[in-house]
Amino acid sequence: MTTSASTRAAAPAVPLSDRTLGDLPPDVSVPTYDRSALRPAIVHIGVGGFHRAHQAVYLEELARRGATDWGVIGVGLHSRAIGEVLADQDRLWTVVERAAEGDRATVVGVLTDYLYAPDGPEKVLAALTAEETRVVTLTITSTGYRIDANTGEFDADDPEIARDLEEPGRPHTVFGFLVEALHRRREAGLPPFTVLSCDNMQSNGTAARGAVVSFARLRDAALAEWIDDNVAFPESMVDRITPSTSPDDRDAIAAAIGVDDRWPVVTEPFSQWVIQDTFCNGRPPLEAVGVQFVDDVSPYELVKTRLLNAGHSALAYLGYLAGYRTTDEVMADPVFRTYMTRLMADEIAPHLPQVPGVDLAEYQATLLDRLANPRMADQLARLGRRGSSKIPNYILPTVRSAIEQDRPHQLLCLAVAGWLRFLRGADYAGEEVPIEGPRPDLVPIAQEGGGDATPMLSEHSVFDHIGTDPRFAECVQRALTGLDRTGPREMIEEFLAAGARA
């Protein structure tokens, strides 16, 4: 059911708590189970907006179906504030799904406790070593794993890591807590817990295993070997747009929905969670609420990164140069919407595998709708960050496949040319564009090259051998010349027309 400020009577919003659940507006979905019956079997580290809009929502639905033995204890390593707010609200919060046609509000109650680690590390260790704890989930961001992007090795030089190794019984880092807890479980003869990364990164289970085992090896080689042999680190893929909640969001939710929640979460209706079915101590039956358990997550990651992430990059640079600033603005332009439609259907999807449970045509249609949702607009500047890693990881693999199979790839070349033009640091009016990423050294190369794509395409660290392949280089050069001659919208129309004639 959807709500809006115009359809709701101007009544004071109801403060969120256990006591007031029955007083909330009838179109707000609330827990239907006895929350006191929840038994925590999951410890989640990193209770940010994404966890509260994604994993917790699936577990909430599970509890509403009667599976109350998979409650969650939340652990914060850096945020005391969220714990204080949740304590005042009896560990309840509101998830607002923001569709184009209106909002849908759900109160989540699956959290049984929130522990702020710096205030009570022993309480966190007690939760992690409790016999009923069977899974530890993580949303600590990709940088939190301390895995060097170039070497793939764990970075052990952080002072907090050194401190945890000196005082393992009083940890500060996520790895210190996990390894100390696993050490205590091993000593007590308890089975280990599964470590399930829910961070939005490829091969997140591999990253979690690498970081935990590497840290453990610095402490005790035998313990590291036991962890490597006995602890499961499933790969998972997550997808749900969840921007940070602003004070304006909070006030708007109170006015439109009638819930006075000090820290609600705003998200999109779409949600996906795919998990490798490798657990060492049991798992929640999340397949009952839409989670896909699979043997291999990589095909699902491939579909997401090649369609969603590549599409983001294509829109970000060309759209920004065309004067747009958000995804909904650029998708409202029929030329750009046609570009995205054809890019995915004609040049990307033919190179993707058939994945069980995924209808590629439906996935593409859903993605177009997600990008066009005016109430969940994403900033093109944000999507354009880290182009030096996104272009080679998300776009170039499809280009290579297209060249090998002699298939169309000019719309992909146009996306690459858009990035090269963007890297020059100014739009067509001479206004500075926001360039953010780990390779600032590429900016002067793009600027000095100007309308010549060769210097950038010769950067082997980005383009590898494909940068000098004439089938790719000439296509990118044609697109870059056209972008300098006219503009993104005009070049999209030109390339679309050429594709239609081919």
Side-chain angles (χ1 to χ4, degrees), residues 200 239-244 268 308-309 312-313 315-316 319-320 324-331 367 369-385 390:
N200 188 17
D239 189 10
R240 193 172 213 191
I241 298 171
T242 308
S244 299
E268 64 173 333
L308 173 63
N309 297 107
H312 277 168
S313 295
L315 281 183
Y320 198 99
Y324 297 115
R325 294 296 176 263
T326 61
T327 49
D328 64 313
E329 289 177 355
V330 73
M331 289 297 289
L367 179 53
D369 289 341
R370 294 172 68 192
L371 291 169
N373 184 350
R375 305 185 69 243
M376 284 299 299
D378 210 343
Q379 296 293 319
L380 296 182
R382 189 190 74 81
L383 298 181
R385 295 171 185 165
K390 291 179 178 179

Side-chain angles (χ1 to χ4, degrees), residues 386-398:
R386 304 187 305 280
S388 59
S389 61
K390 291 179 178 179
I391 295 295
N393 287 330
Y394 303 148
I395 291 181
L396 295 186
T398 305

Side-chain angles (χ1 to χ4, degrees), residues 391-422:
I391 295 295
N393 287 330
Y394 303 148
I395 291 181
L396 295 186
T398 305
V399 173
R400 290 189 184 90
S401 179
I403 288 175
E404 290 171 1
Q405 300 178 33
D406 194 26
R407 292 191 62 91
H409 55 279
Q410 63 178 13
L411 301 181
L412 289 161
C413 291
L414 183 55
V416 174
W419 178 54
L420 301 189
R421 176 63 183 80
F422 189 86

Side-chain angles (χ1 to χ4, degrees), residues 167-178:
E167 293 186 276
R170 293 187 55 81
H172 298 80
T173 68
V174 61
F175 311 112
F177 277 105
L178 292 176

Side-chain angles (χ1 to χ4, degrees), residues 122-146:
E122 197 56 43
K123 290 183 179 179
V124 175
L125 288 170
L128 291 169
T129 55
E131 186 172 1
E132 57 266 30
T133 296
R134 303 166 76 180
V135 178
V136 176
T137 52
L138 308 175
T139 47
I140 58 175
T141 76
S142 59
T143 58
Y145 293 85
R146 292 181 168 89

